[in-house]
Amino acid sequence: MTETFRTTVHAMAMPFVVELDDADPLEVDGALAQFHAGLVWADEVFSLWKEHSYLSGYLRGDLTLDEAPHELREVLEACEWYREQTGGGFDARRKDGVLDPTGLVKGWAVARASRHLRAARAADWMVGASGDVLVAGNRPRRIGIADPRVSGDPTGTPVVDVVELGGAFTALATSGGAQVVDHIWDPVTGETARHYMQVSVAGRDLTECDAWATAIAGAGPRVVAAALERGLEVLLIAGGRFDGTYDAQTSPGWPSVR
């Protein structure tokens, strides 16, 4: 019988839910502490809301990239790489010229911090990060995708779909304006993106899924084909109808269990 340890840690102004199956009880606390510390550290480096973060200091001109942790350069270079890969769909530079890698940082931070969970020697594990999910191991996990019409409910009740992660799909990222209104911009017009209510991307790399979900939400249908060419699968929820319902489209390999 599988014994699951479940807890929630807070960082980057959001909750992170962690599930560990059949973990070593002597290693759990230490592994979780390191995982949590990794997320807190990422916030201290990349937060645009903290005056003393390395990113804020770099943008003010108070320090150079060589004076900041090397991960800052790594993430900014990744943003440029995804800008090229998505044909400009993902662009970390806002209309006002501010460099804002937020659309990639959460997925990157979870992927980076999750390496510490290996120390718990769990048979399987999952991290849920307010719409983004990363799993490891052989156990299939069913994950609900939050209804974009319900704001203020990142736990995902009610849901618009249920997908199965594990095996071919170990990462899921969702982008949209349900929880944080009007935070995604169209990189062409510079205005708030209105192409979709919500976009979900499933794949094997959470950083990649996070970047492509942001790109599709920001740039719209023209980016979808490129995402599919990379082996990603998508769920697209378009604008609502007068009766409160909405239109939804999925790619052929979308891992829905409904």
Side-chain angles (χ1 to χ4, degrees):
M1 182 176 179
T2 299
E3 183 176 351
T4 300
F5 176 89
R6 190 176 192 271
T7 192
T8 300
V9 300
H10 291 81
M12 304 169 72
M14 70 185 77
F16 294 81
V17 178
V18 182
E19 290 185 0
L20 304 169
D21 293 347
D22 294 328
D24 184 337
L26 298 179
E27 304 291 347
V28 166
D29 288 347
L32 286 172
Q34 290 298 311
F35 170 77
H36 188 202
L39 298 175
V40 172
W41 173 87
D43 197 33
E44 294 299 320
V45 173
F46 296 102
S47 175
L48 283 172
W49 294 271
K50 293 185 176 181
E51 180 182 355
H52 300 297
S53 75
Y54 284 96
L55 178 58
S56 294
Y58 170 68
L59 294 178
R60 286 195 306 269
D62 293 346
L63 54 83
T64 67
L65 286 179
D66 290 336
E67 295 171 318
H70 71 86
E71 288 87 354
L72 179 56
R73 182 188 298 273
E74 175 187 329
V75 165
L76 295 182
E77 289 179 348
C79 287
E80 179 60 22
W81 188 85
Y82 279 113
R83 187 188 66 80
E84 296 175 356
Q85 293 297 306
T86 62
F90 179 94
D91 195 337
R93 195 166 292 280
R94 301 189 319 221
K95 182 181 179 181
D96 59 7
V98 173
L99 198 57
D100 182 358
T102 304
L104 183 142
V105 164
K106 181 175 67 169
W108 177 89
V110 169
R112 180 182 182 276
S114 66
R115 65 188 181 185
H116 296 295
L117 297 179
R118 300 171 192 162
R121 302 174 187 173
D124 306 90
W125 54 259
M126 181 205 75
V127 177
S130 297
D132 295 349
V133 180
L134 183 65
V135 304
N138 298 316
R139 172 190 166 189
R141 292 179 183 268
R142 293 191 170 185
I143 307 296
I145 296 176
D147 189 325
R149 298 168 298 180
V150 181
S151 62
D153 186 22
T155 58
T157 305
V159 299
V160 294
D161 196 15
V162 177
V163 299
E164 186 169 275
L165 297 185
F169 300 100
T170 55
L172 173 73
T174 296
S175 185
Q179 305 306 322
V180 183
V181 177
D182 292 347
H183 72 293
I184 301 172
W185 64 90
D186 187 317
V188 174
T189 66
E191 304 300 326
T192 300
R194 304 291 188 193
H195 304 287
Y196 299 108
M197 294 176 66
Q198 185 166 285
V199 175
S200 295
V201 175
R204 295 193 59 80
D205 182 288
L206 185 57
T207 306
E208 180 179 46
C209 291
D210 204 6
W212 280 92
T214 301
I216 295 171
R222 70 179 180 86
V223 183
V224 175
L228 300 184
E229 289 176 2
R230 293 195 60 84
L232 302 170
E233 301 293 341
V234 302
L235 165 64
L236 310 172
I237 300 179
R241 303 188 186 101
F242 71 93
D243 61 356
T245 59
Y246 52 81
D247 294 311
Q249 292 179 304
T250 61
S251 55
W254 177 251
S256 176
V257 296
R258 285 191 170 183

